Amino acid sequence: MKLMEYQGKELFRRVGIPTPRGHFAKSADDVAAFVAANPGSWVLKSQVLMGGRGKAGGIKFADDPNQARAIASELLGKVLKSVQNPEGERVGSLLVEEKVAIESEAYVSITIDRAAKKPVVIVTAQGGMDVEEVAAHDPDAIAKLWIDAAAGFWPFVARRLAFAAKLPLGFHKTFPGVVGGLYSLFMDYGANLVEINPLVLSKDGAVIASDAKVDLDDNALYKHPELKDWKAEAPVDEDQAAAVAIGLGLSNYAKLDGNIGVIANGAGLGMGTMDAIRNAGGSAANFLDIGGGAQADLVKKSYNLVVSDPKVKSMFINIFGGITRGDQVARGIVEALAGGDIRKVPLVVRLTGTNEKEGRAILAAAGMNPVETMDEGAKTAVELARA
Amino acid sequence: MAIWLDKNSKIIVQGITGREGLFHTQRMLAYRTPIVGGVTPGKGGSSVEGGIPVFNTVHDAVAKTGATHTIIFVPPAFAADALYEAHDAGIGFAACITEGIPVHDMLRVVATTAGMRILGPNCPGIVSPGKALVGIMPGHIFKEGRVGMISRSGTLTYEIVDNLTKAGLGQSTCVGIGGDPIIGTTFVDALRAFANDPETDAIVLCGEIGGSDEEDAAAFIHDHLPDKPVVAFIGGRSAPRGKRLGHAGAIISGNFGTPESKLAAFAAAGVPVADRPSQIPDVVKSRLSGAKR
């Protein structure tokens, strides 16, 4: 689950990372009232998940309540578009924050290094920029160190990073505390990524997290039931919602660009089936993994989900039964096709493995003739999509 | 011989009385896997399947049975605890089938369980055909032989093994390393074991998009496996960037984890990559018939 800036900063405060004084608001009246009660210069920051928010015009400044109200009215409800997110994202709330006089900007993040099987801390003195661009143009400006999860975080790691990345001296005293807080957030909340960009050194010498990017592992959310309100508010991925609605796992269904529907058991075979279709000159309309041990009802619902995409011209159901039983799959297919209210597309079935004889008999009784191999099935599905 | 699992392994099942645990215990027993016991806290003293004893703790199970291997079917929230328990009780090999374990639990587990080989999590297990099956794979597709197989996927393994078996190429051991971002055993760990196994003549490596395990494997093959043929396959070559397809680890982020990077790494190591599973037996045979890299 990706968090909005204001949510990330809430977690930052819980682990002792300093953030600017601010106020979260969902209406222009609320914004104006806050600025009226707290005179000064304020930044109005659109709360969206997309990258490139500033360039898209989602961050504005206000010095008095009337100006704040006008800008808030303009931003709330606006659809921001950026290079990273051409479809745009609607602004539903704002974070009103004190304007910090900037002396220097740094970058710090913690993510998972899969190959090392360890958390890795990445630091650069070139904050406020896209870190991948910094990595491409000035790789020496980036310092990295790995943390031994058995030993946990110790301040020397942050000290080494501060020197290696040549952070201005003003950062050095507080930096280990910031990285330590970031590490405890990373481990305790189960984050795929925690990022502060920029980490600001202010003119008066304070070190403050000016932005917050936090992406939490969905599998770990159960450990923090207090976050369930955020989960409920989080924008829903349509494919994920459709998968969960029929009882599949979150990432078991994904729409793609082609016109041949795919159902397979297992993620590997699902990807292999997409590849086989491409090898046969076609293109998959989706990835769908029915998982292990699927019953007839799930097969039927999966069929209906795949054909609900109007660009699907033909379908390839590719099953290698291990714990998935061929008779259950065949029954689900027959039930799906018997349903009167759904669209039917030309169908190729390949059924191998556990209970394949029983499954084939069920399909034969319904007038269907399964193919023998994955290559043959893919070829036939491509021909049917062209017909 | 085989790697990591043979007739003399003594296997326990953690979560043996659960629905999944019991179902797969029956299937593993049907394959004549030497299962010596199971663990379900609170059900110690009972037995399943006509005499397999159930214990309250892994320590009890090890003390009474001399167990060397465990297979873990417990739910995601308790799986890390189960792995620690196995390690603390002196188990040497743990296959973790559970899908959906928090990644940070696994970061902690791999950092603190030195000495125990962990397979998975989110893996189909391991089978040494004709000897033992510790996992959820369908036993009937495997055949005893001399090809080693390593894979990140379950069902794609079945597809490839089926092709190998039908072409007369049996397997020494098939290892499913799992599809999660943090896994205990990598391709390189399995390649190293196969390299030292005199009864494995060739290796099939089935990778997929995401991560850099395949690139690491290619480098290892180039440096350390000059004499044993390796044939590779990569699943998800037609997948778009940024989409997570089933496996938590199967995602192309930016330019990282792309099939192009993996293909280039295998090409540089002289490892042929089959375009389709059905081509793999022929490529293996041609490599075995003398053609060295």
Side-chain angles (χ1 to χ4, degrees):
Chain A
M1 177 171 74
K2 286 184 178 158
L3 299 187
M4 301 270 193
E5 177 193 7
Y6 82 92
Q7 296 166 335
K9 284 180 171 168
E10 162 69 33
L11 297 190
F12 281 5
R13 285 188 289 273
R14 287 190 202 175
V15 296
I17 298 172
T19 60
R21 193 157 66 97
H23 178 70
F24 174 68
K26 288 182 165 179
S27 75
D29 284 348
D30 188 359
V31 171
F34 176 78
V35 173
N38 302 276
S41 289
W42 294 92
V43 192
L44 275 57
K45 302 166 92 176
S46 302
Q47 294 302 288
V48 286
L49 294 175
M50 62 179 238
R53 168 181 69 167
K55 279 182 191 159
I59 297 176
K60 306 254 173 173
F61 301 91
D63 296 321
D64 64 63
N66 288 336
Q67 197 186 9
R69 182 191 304 277
I71 291 171
S73 304
E74 178 207 324
L75 288 177
L76 285 166
K78 187 176 174 182
V79 175
L80 298 181
K81 291 183 185 179
S82 68
V83 182
Q84 294 97 316
N85 191 341
E87 286 175 11
E89 186 177 340
R90 195 183 153 275
V91 180
S93 57
L94 299 171
L95 182 60
V96 185
E97 273 192 345
E98 66 180 325
K99 210 164 148 184
V100 177
I102 296 169
E103 173 70 29
S104 179
E105 294 179 310
Y107 167 101
V108 54
S109 70
I110 306 179
T111 185
I112 295 164
D113 183 332
R114 288 168 62 167
K117 300 182 194 177
K118 285 177 178 175
V120 58
V121 189
I122 301 170
V123 176
T124 167
Q126 298 180 29
M129 296 168 58
D130 183 347
V131 70
E132 279 164 13
E133 265 173 44
V134 178
H137 294 119
D138 193 2
D140 292 343
I142 293 190
K144 279 187 192 181
L145 277 178
W146 289 259
I147 293 183
D148 177 350
F153 172 80
W154 292 95
F156 79 89
V157 173
R159 287 199 303 273
R160 286 184 64 196
L161 284 164
F163 286 110
K166 299 189 176 69
L167 293 192
L169 284 175
F171 280 105
H172 284 228
K173 198 176 164 209
T174 40
F175 193 64
V178 170
V179 180
L182 214 50
Y183 182 75
S184 55
L185 196 170
F186 178 82
M187 291 303 283
D188 294 348
Y189 287 84
N192 298 313
L193 170 73
V194 288
E195 180 183 281
I196 308 176
N197 188 23
L199 178 70
V200 165
L201 173 64
S202 73
K203 293 273 186 206
D204 50 14
V207 172
I208 305 163
S210 180
D211 200 354
K213 196 168 174 185
V214 177
D215 181 7
L216 300 179
D217 176 7
D218 289 307
N219 288 333
L221 288 179
Y222 74 90
K223 295 182 182 181
H224 289 275
E226 79 276 13
L227 303 183
K228 68 175 187 299
D229 292 346
W230 290 352
K231 180 71 188 167
E233 284 173 18
V236 184
D237 177 297
E238 276 182 29
D239 292 351
Q240 292 185 351
V244 172
I246 65 166
L248 291 172
L250 209 58
S251 51
N252 284 35
Y253 173 69
K255 262 190 202 155
L256 306 169
D257 293 333
N259 61 4
I260 298 169
V262 170
I263 295 177
N265 63 319
L269 193 62
M271 286 188 268
T273 306
M274 289 162 45
D275 296 346
I277 287 169
R278 193 184 63 171
N279 286 339
S283 178
N286 71 279
F287 164 89
L288 193 153
D289 165 17
I290 57 170
Q295 303 292 305
D297 185 55
L298 183 60
V299 176
K300 178 185 167 184
K301 286 174 174 161
S302 297
Y303 179 95
N304 292 352
L305 173 59
V306 171
V307 292
S308 72
D309 178 356
K311 66 180 190 293
V312 172
K313 289 259 172 56
S314 70
M315 194 191 303
F316 181 17
I317 299 181
N318 187 14
I319 304 297
F320 201 118
I323 49 177
T324 305
R325 287 162 42 189
D327 55 326
Q328 286 289 342
V329 174
R331 210 163 282 133
I333 295 169
V334 171
E335 282 172 21
L337 295 177
D341 50 347
I342 52 148
R343 190 165 77 94
K344 312 286 193 304
V345 296
L347 173 68
V348 190
V349 181
R350 184 273 186 125
L351 205 57
T352 284
T354 309
N355 290 8
E356 75 175 67
K357 272 187 202 143
E358 294 86 339
R360 284 167 170 272
I362 292 168
L363 292 176
M368 273 178 281
N369 197 8
V371 297
E372 294 288 333
T373 67
M374 176 153 91
D375 292 345
E376 192 188 342
K379 186 167 161 274
T380 310
V382 171
E383 283 162 6
L384 289 171
R386 285 190 184 136
Chain B
M1 235 175 85
I3 68 165
W4 297 334
L5 177 71
D6 62 30
K7 278 181 182 157
N8 302 318
S9 306
K10 291 181 177 173
I11 296 138
I12 57 167
V13 179
Q14 284 174 262
I16 194 166
T17 59
R19 194 171 59 96
E20 296 283 310
L22 192 58
F23 175 71
H24 289 291
T25 297
Q26 291 161 351
R27 292 168 56 99
M28 289 187 281
L29 286 169
Y31 199 82
R32 300 191 187 172
T33 301
I35 294 179
V36 297
V39 176
T40 298
K43 299 215 171 151
S46 63
S47 68
V48 296
E49 295 302 303
I52 305 287
V54 179
F55 300 93
N56 286 319
T57 67
V58 179
H59 292 75
D60 286 351
V62 170
K64 294 277 164 48
T65 67
T68 55
H69 289 50
T70 182
I71 177 164
I72 294 173
F73 285 103
V74 308
F78 312 107
D81 184 35
L83 283 161
Y84 281 124
E85 185 179 356
H87 177 255
D88 196 60
I91 293 281
F93 184 100
C96 186
I97 308 302
T98 310
E99 178 174 2
I101 301 176
V103 181
H104 297 68
D105 285 0
M106 286 312 301
L107 282 173
R108 290 190 178 96
V109 167
V110 298
T112 48
T113 53
M116 178 172 81
R117 172 155 303 289
I118 296 173
L119 194 59
N122 189 15
C123 80
I126 176 170
V127 52
S128 295
K131 301 183 177 79
L133 186 159
V134 172
I136 59 173
M137 301 144 154
H140 67 271
I141 60 172
F142 299 92
K143 181 187 165 189
E144 240 180 305
R146 303 183 63 89
V147 176
M149 164 107 201
I150 322 165
S151 175
R152 263 164 83 179
S153 148
T155 43
L156 205 45
T157 307
Y158 311 162
E159 183 75 40
I160 293 169
V161 165
D162 194 47
N163 278 295
L164 289 171
T165 296
K166 283 176 177 159
L169 290 167
Q171 305 92 38
S172 53
T173 300
C174 296
V175 183
I177 63 172
D180 269 7
I182 298 295
I183 48 176
T185 295
T186 61
F187 282 137
V188 169
D189 297 324
L191 285 167
R192 191 175 284 123
F194 278 129
N196 296 324
D197 179 22
E199 295 186 1
T200 297
D201 296 337
I203 301 161
V204 175
L205 186 156
C206 173
E208 66 187 29
I209 54 166
S212 60
D213 222 14
E214 289 78 6
E215 285 86 337
D216 294 344
F220 179 86
I221 294 163
H222 181 266
D223 296 345
H224 301 286
L225 261 176
D227 300 325
K228 230 168 238 195
V230 182
V231 176
F233 179 81
I234 298 164
R237 282 163 69 176
S238 63
R241 291 177 183 217
K243 290 251 185 194
R244 177 170 294 176
L245 302 179
H247 285 158
I251 182 165
I252 303 172
S253 318
N255 290 320
F256 195 70
T258 63
E260 291 78 16
S261 156
K262 296 175 193 302
L263 290 170
F266 283 126
V271 175
V273 180
D275 290 330
R276 310 154 195 257
S278 57
Q279 296 169 337
I280 292 173
D282 284 345
V283 183
V284 172
K285 281 179 181 170
S286 76
R287 290 275 152 163
L288 278 175
S289 66
K292 286 203 174 161
R293 287 195 307 278

